[in-house]
């Protein structure tokens, strides 16, 4: 393998983004994402519509990824795809396409776990620039729409979940709070934007008392719902008049729950190299709070580029590259899985 470039095609279709990427060793050559607008009017992802959109998008998205990378199909060494966790119908589209692509070109098929891939997004290199990557072991706070985990990473595929949510995920907490305020789906980015001009101390919400490194967000959602309902009874314009303060306060609460446990994880494991991953890692308050750990505590912190936080195939391709180097290939009989096998 020395001296030879390995080209991997990555395919991500676990939820509502159809994405394809091409890597050359650890370098990212292209990363194309087709968002599915169709779900916006329903205030959440409709699984059946998601799988249909994946079917429509997958061929043009893969073709664009190959074109942008300036790579022909027959130059690809292996195809890596998200096997799970995610929506089964959506995963089936990527899985079936990857199997057919692998069979048709007689190249290895590689399965990627979506959550492992979020963590491995830190190893994506931009062409012609060598950015610093985390050294093992490190602690990663993986925060997405479906999962919230603190993971101890000993090696690329040696990961142990040491904390997880016992109910809602952090992204879900953002999305549900946004929905209560009448904001579009997914609400996380809207809360982030409105919060910039709001007062984070304007409203106080309870913090869960969960032992150890586990999280809980469902109580916060309920107390936010009742709080808004009561205020609207007194003042129907309450949300419009307080939108920025509400967003800043709920964001402050969610981020402080995450940071408390992340700090606790470092204190417990004595591992002070810390990373964040997943869609909620795009949140500006969380990114700032993690950066503060470096400034004030001297910990080494790794914050991914925005485009590698939310779902993307670049992380699936890089995960595929590491498996390719170990000849860790998948068989054609495997089926997708909907739930994480670690949480
Ligand atoms: O990783 P991801 O793209 O999909 C899953 O694997 O679930 O994460 C999506 C989640 C959504 O809940 C979305 O609201 C949240 O990430 N999100 C954010 C921000 N950008 C995306 N949450 C807070 N602030 C943001 N800026
Ligand atoms: Zn994700």
């Amino acid at each position: 393998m020395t001296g030879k470039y390995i080209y991997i095609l990555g395919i991500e279709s676990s939820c509502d983004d159809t994405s394809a990427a091409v890597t050359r060793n650890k370098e990212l050559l292209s990363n194309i994402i087709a968002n599915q607008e169709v779900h916006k009017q329903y205030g959440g992802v409709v699984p059946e519509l998601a799988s249909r959109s994946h079917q429509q998008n997958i061929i043009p998205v893969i073709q664009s990824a190959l074109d942008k990378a300036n790579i022909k199909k027959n130059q690809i060494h292996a195809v890596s795809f998200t096997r799970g966790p995610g929506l089964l119908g959506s995963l089936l589209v990527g899985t079936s396409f990857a199997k057919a692509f692998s069979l048709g070109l007689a190249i290895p098929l590689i399965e990627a776990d979506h959550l492992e891939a979020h963590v491995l997004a830190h190893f994506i290199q931009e062409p012609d620039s060598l950015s610093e990557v985390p050294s093992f072991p490190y602690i990663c706070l993986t925060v997405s729409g479906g999962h919230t985990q603190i993971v101890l990473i000993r090696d690329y595929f040696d990961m142990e979940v040491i904390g997880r949510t016992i109910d809602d995920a952090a992204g879900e907490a953002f999305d549900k709070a946004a929905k209560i305020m009448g904001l579009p789906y997914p609400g996380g980015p809207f809360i982030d934007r409105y919060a910039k001009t709001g007062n984070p101390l304007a409203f106080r919400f309870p913090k869960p008392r969960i032992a150890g490194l586990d999280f809980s967000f469902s109580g916060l959602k309920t107390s936010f719902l009742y709080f808004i309902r009561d205020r609207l009874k007194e003042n129907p314009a309450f949300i419009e008049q307080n939108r920025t303060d509400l967003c800043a306060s709920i964001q402050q609460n969610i981020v402080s729950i995450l940071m408390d446990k992340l700090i606790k994880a470092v204190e417990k494991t004595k591992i002070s190299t810390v990373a964040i991953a997943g869609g909620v890692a795009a949140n500006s308050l969380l990114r700032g709070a993690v950066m503060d750990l470096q400034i004030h505590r001297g910990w080494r912190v790794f914050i991914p580029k925005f485009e590698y936080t939310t779902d993307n195939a670049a992380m699936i391709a890089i995960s595929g590259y590491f498996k390719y180097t170990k000849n860790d290939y998948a068989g054609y009989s495997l089926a997708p899985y909907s739930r994480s096998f670690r949480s």
Side-chain angles (χ1 to χ4, degrees), residues 76-211:
I76 298 286
H77 291 87
V79 55
S80 174
F81 69 100
T82 308
R83 184 178 171 195
L87 301 170
L88 273 182
S90 294
L91 289 164
L92 263 174
V93 178
T95 304
S96 312
F97 189 95
K99 285 180 185 173
F101 194 88
S102 151
L103 275 168
L105 292 170
I107 54 171
L109 177 68
I110 299 176
E111 63 171 292
D113 177 82
H114 184 83
L115 294 170
E116 270 181 2
H118 268 303
V119 170
L120 295 176
H122 284 278
F123 296 92
I124 298 168
Q125 294 285 350
E126 303 291 325
D128 308 321
S129 89
L130 279 179
S131 49
E132 216 195 335
V133 296
S135 51
F136 301 117
Y138 68 96
I139 300 287
C140 186
L141 173 69
T142 310
V143 266
S144 72
H147 296 87
T148 298
Q149 299 180 331
I150 296 183
V151 193
L152 165 53
I153 294 116
R154 298 191 185 89
D155 205 343
Y156 296 114
F157 298 102
D158 182 358
M159 303 186 190
E160 184 188 348
V161 178
I162 56 173
R164 83 266 303 144
T165 180
I166 59 167
D167 42 52
D168 291 352
E172 223 173 331
F174 272 106
D175 296 339
K176 286 180 175 170
K179 196 171 181 179
I180 294 168
M181 290 186 279
L183 296 174
Y185 176 86
F190 289 93
I191 293 190
D192 194 349
R193 206 174 315 144
Y194 283 116
K196 287 195 183 1
T197 51
N199 172 9
L201 305 175
F203 305 107
R204 294 217 175 246
F205 301 105
K207 272 176 117 183
R209 281 173 223 241
I210 306 290

Side-chain angles (χ1 to χ4, degrees), residues 189-200 243-252 283-285:
F190 289 93
I191 293 190
D192 194 349
R193 206 174 315 144
Y194 283 116
K196 287 195 183 1
T197 51
N199 172 9
R243 183 166 285 131
T244 55
D245 285 351
L246 284 167
C247 288
S249 302
I250 194 80
Q251 174 177 270
Q252 167 66 37
N283 183 265
S284 54
L285 185 69

Side-chain angles (χ1 to χ4, degrees), residues 5 9 22 43 50 55 76 106 108-109 132 142 150 161 165 175 218 249 271 276 285-286 293 303 310 330-331 338 340:
Y5 282 137
L9 171 69
V22 177
Q55 265 182 323
I76 298 286
L109 177 68
E132 216 195 335
T142 310
I150 296 183
V161 178
T165 180
D175 296 339
S218 70
S249 302
I271 296 169
I276 52 173
L285 185 69
L286 179 63
L293 297 176
I303 299 170
T310 46
S338 60
S340 169

Side-chain angles (χ1 to χ4, degrees), residues 45-66:
V45 177
V46 183
E48 180 56 32
L49 295 179
S51 30
R52 285 188 212 174
S53 301
H54 282 305
Q55 265 182 323
Q56 281 165 0
N57 293 343
I58 195 154
I59 292 178
V61 164
I62 287 172
Q63 193 57 54
S64 319
L66 292 168

